[in-house]
Each structure stands twice: as structure tokens, then as C-alpha cells.
Amino acid sequence: MFIASAITGFTTGAGLLVCIGSQNAFVLKQGLLRHHLFAIAAICSISDIILICCGIAGLGTLVKNWPNLVEIVRYAGAVFLAWTALSSAKQAWYGNSQLNPSTEDSSHFKTVILTCLGFTWLNPHVYLDTVFMIGSLSIPYSGIEKWKFAAGALSASVVWFSTITYGAKLLLPLFRNPYAWRILDALVAITMGYFSVSLLITPLP
């Protein structure tokens, strides 16, 4: 029964994580740049662990009854994504993204980490997927089975973020071409802009 519950949790978590989103777009780009990979994967995974555990523990119901909190995150996230979209659009226009990835760049460590935290904790969709959705899907389970389900979902998060940060290097030959970076920046700008506008015009469920 442990395996069945864990597999269900894993597939559920993977289904919610493996999609085009602002956080994944940021993580993929940093993976291509080879900047602070462990820190980024750790921040995203640990944040998911905290949020998923909160959802499993029933925090989703509490937050659902406090809509003002979600609204604050909604508008803060929209502003953050709009700023990121403009920055990416500027990089795409001028073609000034870093074209020679390095293993570490300590001068940008603080900026990268703060941006990663922003994409994680100022993204209302993260709360909807991890706290509300996974929390709701865990309701049929009880006792230890609920946490076996959670273990599967947590594993999916760790596997996913480790894969796109460290696995992005497989795409590096393509990104030796500076135009590829400009296309990526343009796609990131479009993605961030889309989610920013969506947050502003579409009320969260």
C-alpha cells in the first residue's frame, strides 16, 4: 500500500509540476547559464516540501477562508512577473544575455537567489497547485497513507527541479548560438507577461 500511495502522490505532483510556468522558465534559464544550480534546485524543492506539507496538514482550508492573503499574493506576483517580463524583453531586444555559461558567478548570487524566492513565494499558482490541489487530492487518504501520498508528491518535486537545473546542460550546444539566447529571452518575456496579465484579469478560484 505504501508503494501505491507513493506512486499516486508522485504522478500527481509530476502532473502539476511538469508544465510551462514562470518558475520553471526561470529555473530552466538558470540551468542553461549554469548559475548556482544546487541553491536554485534546493530553494524550489524545499519550498515545495513546505507548501505540500501545509496542504496535506489542512492549511489549504484555512487559507481558502482567508481570501485576502491570496489576493495580496496575486497582485504582488503580477507586479513581479511584469518586471521580469520587461527585463527579459530588454535582454532579447539587445541580445545581452550571458552567452558563455559559467559554473558560478558570486557577484550575482544574491540577485539570483532573491529572484528564485520571488518566483516561488510570489506565485499564486504555486499555492493553488501545492497547497490547495495536492491538499485536496490527499483527502481520500487518512493517517499514515496521507503522508505516504505526500512523500510521493515531494519526491516528484525534488526529481523535477533537479532534472531541469542539472539536465539543462544537454541543451547548451544549441545555446552556443547567440540568437538562441535571444529567442529564449523572448519566450521567457512572453511567458512572464502572459501570467502577469492573467493574474490581473482572472480572479483566482
Side-chain angles (χ1 to χ4, degrees):
M1 190 63 181
F2 172 83
I3 295 178
S5 300
I7 290 177
T8 302
F10 185 91
T11 55
T12 299
L16 293 172
L17 286 167
V18 183
C19 61
I20 298 174
S22 55
Q23 183 190 44
N24 287 339
F26 168 78
V27 173
L28 176 61
K29 183 175 180 180
Q30 296 305 311
L32 288 168
L33 290 170
R34 315 305 293 160
H35 283 173
H36 318 296
L37 303 186
F38 178 80
I40 290 173
I43 288 172
C44 293
S45 297
I46 292 173
S47 296
D48 265 11
I49 289 172
I50 294 172
L51 291 168
I52 289 172
C53 287
C54 287
I56 298 293
L59 185 61
T61 303
L62 176 62
V63 176
K64 186 177 181 179
N65 294 325
W66 194 15
N68 289 338
L69 175 61
V70 178
E71 287 299 294
I72 291 172
V73 174
R74 173 190 173 192
Y75 288 110
V79 172
F80 176 77
L81 290 174
W83 173 80
T84 306
L86 290 174
S87 298
S88 296
K90 181 179 179 181
Q91 290 178 335
W93 181 263
Y94 292 106
N96 58 357
S97 283
Q98 184 173 343
L99 302 178
N100 297 307
S102 60
T103 54
E104 292 295 330
D105 186 352
S106 58
S107 64
H108 295 100
F109 178 78
K110 183 177 180 180
T111 300
V112 170
I113 297 307
L114 289 176
T115 303
C116 184
L117 288 170
F119 276 114
T120 302
W121 292 95
L122 292 179
N123 183 358
H125 294 289
V126 170
Y127 294 91
L128 292 176
D129 289 343
T130 56
V131 178
F132 298 145
M133 187 64 71
I134 293 181
S136 298
L137 293 173
S138 71
I139 292 176
Y141 299 92
S142 60
I144 191 64
E145 294 302 322
K146 183 184 291 287
W147 292 103
K148 292 175 183 177
F149 175 87
L154 298 176
S155 299
S157 176
V158 174
V159 170
W160 171 245
F161 287 117
S162 298
T163 298
I164 59 175
T165 49
Y166 289 97
K169 66 180 180 181
L170 298 176
L171 298 175
L172 281 177
L174 173 64
F175 285 89
R176 299 299 180 189
N177 185 333
Y179 290 104
W181 279 106
R182 299 184 75 170
I183 292 173
L184 177 64
D185 281 326
L187 291 175
V188 170
I190 292 171
T191 300
M192 305 304 178
Y194 168 78
F195 282 106
S196 176
V197 173
S198 296
L199 288 176
L200 288 174
I201 67 176
T202 306
L204 294 171

